[in-house]
Amino acid sequence: MMKKINFIFGIHNHQPVGNFKEVLDHGYECAYKPFVQLMWRHPKIKWSLHCSGILWDYFREHNPEYIDIVKKMKDRGQVELIAGGYYEPIMPSLQDRDKIGQIKKMTEYLKNEFDSKPQGMWLAERVWEPHLPKPFSLAGIKYTIVDDYHLLSSGLNAEERTGYYITEEQGYTLKLFSINQQLRYYIPFKTVSETIEFFRQSATENEGTALVMIDDGEKFGMWPKTYKHVYEDLWLENFLKAVEENSDWINTLTFSEYLEKYPSKGRAYIPTASYFEMTEWAYPQKMQEELEDTIKETDHMNNSERIKKFIRGGMWRNFFTKYPESNNMHKKMLYVSEKINAYRSEISSSKETRDPNITAQLAKALDLLYEGQCNCAYWHGVFGGLYLPHLRKAIYEKLIASENIIDELNKKEKKAKKALKTDFDKDGNNEVLVETESQNLYFMPQCGGTIFEWDIKKANTNILNTLSRKKEAYHRKLVEFIARGPLNPGAVKTIHDLVEVKEENLDHYLNYDWYRKVSLIDHFIHPDTSYENFSKCKYGEQGDFVFGIYDFQEHNNSFKLARNGVVWAGDRQYKIRIEKEVKLSVAPEAEITYTVINNDTDTVSLNFVPELNFSFLGSRTEDTMNKTVKEWVRVDEPQKLKVEVKFENDTQLWVFPVETVSLSEAGFERTYQGTTVAPLWKLELKPGQKQKLHITIQIGVIE
């Protein structure tokens, strides 16, 4: 009997919420359009297609011919359309109601646009947790697609991972296909002959044997150097021809066709997992380096593959501990989701549910929430993700806009609200959320008495959407690359192996913050600290206030934070008290009064620096300053904001851009993340003496 193989082929296309239109245009011209045109010319090749809702919306508005050709292929039975969360969220990170809502939005779109009732869904980044079968089943989904690594983690060997399995949660079942990892690396990076040979080696006399390869559509033309390789050098054309020429033993079919024809291979229960690279990235920097080194060490062992299958990385949710900024976005998303759900519950039995205006506004708020759940800005691996300010900006923009609608529907009072004490970031300590008509300020008394989020509601902008400079595991690759230069620069590599540098001397920007870049961070710095050292976070901190616990009190529109701490000066500690009062007005503005008190028995000399940080889209000359001034003004046209920081007297002011070095699909790059504004006050305080210092921050919205 001839050995045969079933080949389930597909692509997943996605672009983040908030990405630049020129990026989508580029993706369309070099990846999405040429791929679908080539598939159209090979009608015998069955395949499956998933596009996120962001791209379906883009195609409908700017390139409707893409939708037209997909309709034709669907009608002739060549392509199966796969659902998913409409805005490509990481499913385990959502409330179950939002999981179901995202999926139903996509299935309704595919039904209305293509007259298609999808059975399966794409699992964003293949991030799996065992509770998912229940909400997926409740949303009408029959199957999803995971990675080889998922089934390997359940103890299934390569021969057993050539079909589909059934899993369940509380009796709700879900069918699971797994993507062949080796084939994912072969297509389109190995030669066509090598790829066909891999099929030949995988073929069996069991007619149900199947290989699945569905991966990012961007690797077919959008990843560096792949357009020439895939289209100009005819890799994809030659591959499709080779599959057709070997159709007597390579059978292409869709997921649903396979389900109709073949039974499952049994039950399987999968632990928390994603594709293996994701589990590497989710680890903290040091653990990630150790894991990479461990894998390299096993490569030189005779039984390396047997050992590797027992190596595990971290889980996706670790990004919320690795990056506090990611956690902040996630908890903001959950907070807004709860606001929407509370309002829906409140009006569910009232006549307001029949008000078409309320229904429309609620639907808009819900859709904005869903957009704010797009996964890309919440994590970072090879691609820019969290490190791209415009993606984080888009998440906050959607979430704040959604929150504004619900607050308006709730008919909130148009004045400062009483501070809400709640464990916003889910760390066991209460934060303080202050919401007014024009702005939201979130305080963290348990960590420096800082402001960690400042929403300008009219602009739908969190002006504290900054990112601290962190040491990443791939930074050592940058140092090694600069030291030795590129190896084999002409080769076409996978995105995981590619090393490029977008500018010289990037290693000079490898500076790391030991605290989060928020605002009202109270520093007492060593007297020898220079502007340059402080900007690089290479200075001596002499106080215990940066992470210290502050008392919090509320008085009408005034909020007071205070701490009794210590400052090292000379060869001893001094007892110092800081009081900071934040007064809010109707406009987006904060008047901040610091009182620094010497509670010690001796006179002390202090260098006090209350650090502020602001998030702008792109750096300007105003982001660099080291001089004595009474005010600092910064206009940000992209966000339509004007920030003014004013002092009562001439003040030494340090201003510098916060720039990270991160890895993206284009290589290592320097990215502007925000601006630090740090007044430096040199104080000489006698025992019991106090010094008041004033800062006014005004944020105007440019019409």
Side-chain angles (χ1 to χ4, degrees):
M1 181 182 293
M2 176 183 287
K3 291 183 178 181
K4 296 184 178 182
I5 192 76
N6 292 294
F7 177 36
I8 305 176
F9 181 44
I11 59 167
H12 146 70
N13 296 328
H14 169 62
Q15 289 293 329
V17 166
N19 211 356
F20 302 120
K21 182 179 178 295
E22 53 264 32
V23 176
L24 275 70
D25 291 341
H26 173 66
Y28 181 72
E29 292 298 329
C30 69
Y32 309 136
K33 181 174 73 171
F35 186 93
V36 78
Q37 288 177 336
L38 200 52
M39 296 305 296
W40 170 255
R41 296 198 294 270
H42 292 268
K44 294 181 180 180
I45 303 291
K46 299 288 188 72
W47 64 296
S48 300
L49 171 65
H50 170 262
C51 293
S52 65
I54 299 104
L55 279 179
W56 285 129
D57 292 343
Y58 166 79
F59 294 146
R60 188 169 61 251
E61 181 176 358
H62 301 286
N63 301 104
E65 67 276 7
Y66 185 93
I67 293 177
D68 292 339
I69 196 171
V70 170
K71 283 181 179 178
K72 292 176 182 177
M73 282 191 281
K74 179 262 176 187
D75 290 342
R76 73 184 185 187
Q78 183 185 0
V79 67
E80 176 181 359
L81 298 177
I82 300 174
Y86 196 85
Y87 293 107
E88 198 73 1
I90 297 296
M91 283 294 176
S93 72
L94 307 187
Q95 298 273 14
D96 281 357
R97 60 176 177 265
D98 293 339
K99 294 182 181 77
I100 295 170
Q102 286 261 10
I103 296 168
K104 286 189 172 180
K105 181 176 175 65
M106 176 64 87
T107 56
E108 288 170 7
Y109 169 76
L110 295 178
K111 171 64 177 175
N112 294 334
E113 185 70 69
F114 297 97
D115 192 25
S116 174
K117 185 179 180 181
Q119 295 189 58
M121 66 168 281
W122 177 255
L123 184 64
E125 303 301 331
R126 278 95 80 197
V127 177
W128 170 268
E129 291 187 14
H131 72 276
L132 291 177
K134 182 177 180 180
F136 288 4
S137 180
L138 290 173
I141 295 299
K142 304 300 182 186
Y143 74 84
T144 192
I145 308 148
V146 295
D147 225 50
D148 251 2
Y149 180 65
H150 295 66
L151 296 185
L152 176 64
S153 300
S154 291
L156 298 171
N157 62 38
E159 292 74 23
E160 294 171 314
R161 303 193 300 269
T162 54
Y164 69 92
Y165 286 83
I166 296 178
T167 191
E168 60 84 26
E169 166 69 6
Q170 300 178 46
Y172 292 86
T173 60
L174 183 71
K175 298 177 178 68
L176 299 173
F177 288 91
S178 68
I179 301 167
N180 184 281
Q181 185 183 43
Q182 191 167 348
L183 197 55
R184 181 160 61 89
Y185 284 149
Y186 269 52
I187 297 176
F189 302 107
K190 294 287 188 178
T191 65
V192 170
S193 59
E194 287 175 313
T195 307
I196 296 299
E197 180 59 28
F198 178 75
F199 281 120
R200 194 177 303 279
Q201 293 173 3
S202 303
T204 70
E205 294 180 354
N206 177 3
E207 67 173 17
T209 300
L211 290 179
V212 175
M213 207 308 289
I214 178 169
D215 204 2
D216 296 346
E218 293 77 22
K219 72 192 281 187
F220 294 92
M222 199 172 181
W223 285 8
K225 302 181 181 180
T226 56
Y227 181 82
K228 180 179 184 301
H229 174 66
V230 171
Y231 300 112
E232 293 180 354
D233 295 343
L234 303 179
W235 189 97
L236 185 56
E237 173 71 26
N238 292 334
F239 172 69
L240 296 177
K241 285 182 178 178
V243 172
E244 290 170 333
E245 290 167 359
N246 291 278
S247 60
D248 56 333
W249 63 276
I250 300 178
N251 176 45
T252 64
L253 71 174
T254 66
F255 290 99
S256 292
E257 288 174 339
Y258 187 91
L259 288 175
E260 290 179 5
K261 194 171 183 179
Y262 300 107
S264 78
K265 304 194 74 156
R267 289 185 306 276
Y269 291 91
I270 301 176
T272 297
S274 180
Y275 51 88
F276 187 76
E277 299 92 339
M278 177 69 83
T279 70
E280 291 182 85
W281 302 329
Y283 264 155
Q285 166 257 329
K286 187 171 179 56
M287 284 285 288
Q288 187 178 340
E289 290 180 353
E290 291 178 359
L291 179 58
E292 290 174 357
D293 293 341
T294 300
I295 294 170
K296 288 179 181 177
E297 289 171 11
T298 63
D299 287 339
H300 303 292
M301 300 178 181
N302 294 330
N303 54 355
S304 63
E305 292 305 314
R306 184 174 67 85
I307 295 172
K308 281 183 180 179
K309 66 184 180 183
F310 295 106
I311 297 176
R312 299 286 180 267
M315 68 181 297
W316 187 86
R317 294 184 196 230
N318 284 353
F319 286 112
F320 299 148
T321 57
K322 185 175 182 178
Y323 302 106
E325 297 87 353
S326 172
N327 186 63
N328 202 96
M329 284 188 293
H330 180 251
K331 301 312 180 283
K332 176 75 170 184
M333 180 272 289
L334 294 180
Y335 180 65
V336 175
S337 179
E338 283 298 328
K339 276 192 172 185
I340 293 174
N341 190 57
Y343 179 74
R344 294 169 77 181
S345 299
E346 182 181 318
I347 68 168
S348 61
S349 59
S350 70
K351 63 181 181 180
E352 289 178 298
T353 57
R354 297 187 294 273
D355 186 326
N357 180 59
I358 290 179
T359 301
Q361 288 297 302
L362 188 56
K364 184 178 180 181
L366 198 58
D367 196 59
L368 286 165
L369 168 68
Y370 290 167
E371 286 190 83
Q373 294 170 341
C374 179
N375 79 86
C376 307
Y378 287 91
W379 63 280
H380 174 68
V382 167
F383 300 100
L386 177 72
Y387 273 80
L388 298 179
H390 65 284
L391 298 189
R392 301 196 310 272
K393 154 71 176 172
I395 296 299
Y396 278 113
E397 182 179 276
K398 303 302 181 183
L399 296 178
I400 295 168
S402 176
E403 184 179 25
N404 287 344
I405 292 172
I406 291 301
D407 287 350
E408 182 63 28
L409 288 174
N410 269 323
K411 298 179 173 61
K412 283 187 172 276
E413 300 174 26
K414 307 303 182 184
K415 60 182 181 180
K417 306 301 293 180
K418 184 176 180 179
L420 171 65
K421 295 182 179 180
T422 183
D423 185 8
F424 175 84
D425 61 3
K426 310 307 177 189
D427 68 345
N429 298 307
N430 279 341
E431 286 70 48
V432 181
L433 314 186
V434 179
E435 300 177 355
T436 78
E437 180 185 5
S438 63
Q439 58 189 334
N440 301 325
L441 277 81
Y442 295 178
F443 294 88
M444 192 175 289
Q446 297 292 320
C447 188
T450 54
I451 300 173
F452 65 93
E453 181 169 332
W454 190 347
D455 300 334
I456 310 304
K457 299 176 77 169
K458 189 175 181 180
N460 296 326
T461 296
N462 172 19
I463 196 65
L464 299 188
N465 174 27
T466 56
L467 186 70
S468 302
R469 298 166 292 188
K470 292 181 67 71
K471 188 173 186 179
E472 298 285 0
Y474 52 68
H475 283 165
R476 63 176 178 172
K477 292 183 180 179
L478 172 62
V479 175
E480 292 169 0
F481 178 84
I482 291 174
R484 61 165 167 74
L487 298 175
N488 194 15
V492 178
K493 305 175 184 178
T494 75
I495 197 69
H496 309 288
D497 300 323
L498 191 67
V499 178
E500 299 284 353
V501 176
K502 295 177 71 173
E503 64 176 283
E504 294 182 354
N505 301 319
L506 271 180
D507 53 329
H508 295 177
Y509 295 92
L510 293 178
N511 303 308
Y512 306 117
D513 299 306
W514 52 271
Y515 57 88
R516 184 176 166 191
K517 284 287 188 179
V518 288
S519 277
L520 301 190
I521 308 167
D522 300 332
H523 299 282
F524 288 94
I525 62 175
H526 191 279
D528 292 339
T529 302
S530 66
Y531 166 86
E532 181 179 3
N533 289 342
F534 189 77
S535 68
K536 293 181 177 181
C537 206
K538 297 176 180 178
Y539 71 97
E541 182 73 47
Q542 296 187 299
D544 67 350
F545 292 85
V546 173
F547 295 133
I549 298 173
Y550 281 65
D551 296 325
F552 182 89
Q553 291 183 326
E554 175 188 1
H555 300 279
N556 296 322
N557 287 345
S558 174
F559 306 93
K560 294 184 178 180
L561 298 114
R563 170 176 171 76
N564 292 315
V566 297
V567 175
W568 279 96
D571 58 356
R572 57 161 290 192
Q573 288 182 342
Y574 289 81
K575 297 177 182 178
I576 302 297
R577 177 176 174 83
I578 284 185
E579 298 173 354
K580 47 188 172 185
E581 181 179 13
V582 181
K583 291 184 179 180
L584 304 181
S585 62
V586 175
E589 179 178 316
E591 293 183 12
I592 302 157
T593 301
Y594 269 97
T595 305
V596 184
I597 306 169
N598 179 7
N599 282 337
D600 213 279
T601 56
D602 293 321
T603 299
V604 62
S605 297
L606 304 171
N607 293 277
F608 179 51
V609 180
E611 179 181 340
L612 310 170
N613 285 283
F614 300 101
S615 171
F616 304 114
L617 290 181
S619 61
R620 295 172 48 152
T621 56
E622 299 96 307
D623 297 318
T624 302
M625 179 185 292
N626 178 14
K627 63 181 181 180
T628 301
V629 296
K630 289 189 70 173
E631 69 174 5
W632 177 79
V633 180
R634 174 66 153 84
V635 175
D636 183 15
E637 287 89 353
Q639 296 190 121
K640 300 187 183 304
L641 292 176
K642 179 181 181 181
V643 176
E644 299 176 77
V645 181
K646 301 179 180 180
F647 310 98
E648 274 194 334
N649 303 302
D650 287 340
T651 300
Q652 180 69 32
L653 192 64
W654 289 349
V655 182
F656 54 87
V658 178
E659 296 174 310
T660 57
V661 176
S662 60
L663 191 58
S664 73
E665 64 270 29
F668 286 98
E669 61 187 6
R670 177 163 54 107
T671 305
Y672 166 79
Q673 301 292 352
T675 297
T676 295
V677 179
L680 168 60
W681 280 300
K682 296 180 180 293
L683 308 177
E684 186 86 13
L685 298 179
K686 297 177 181 178
Q689 185 179 357
K690 61 178 65 175
Q691 176 72 56
K692 287 189 178 292
L693 306 164
H694 301 277
I695 306 172
T696 299
I697 304 173
Q698 297 174 333
I699 303 176
V701 179
I702 302 171
E703 299 294 344

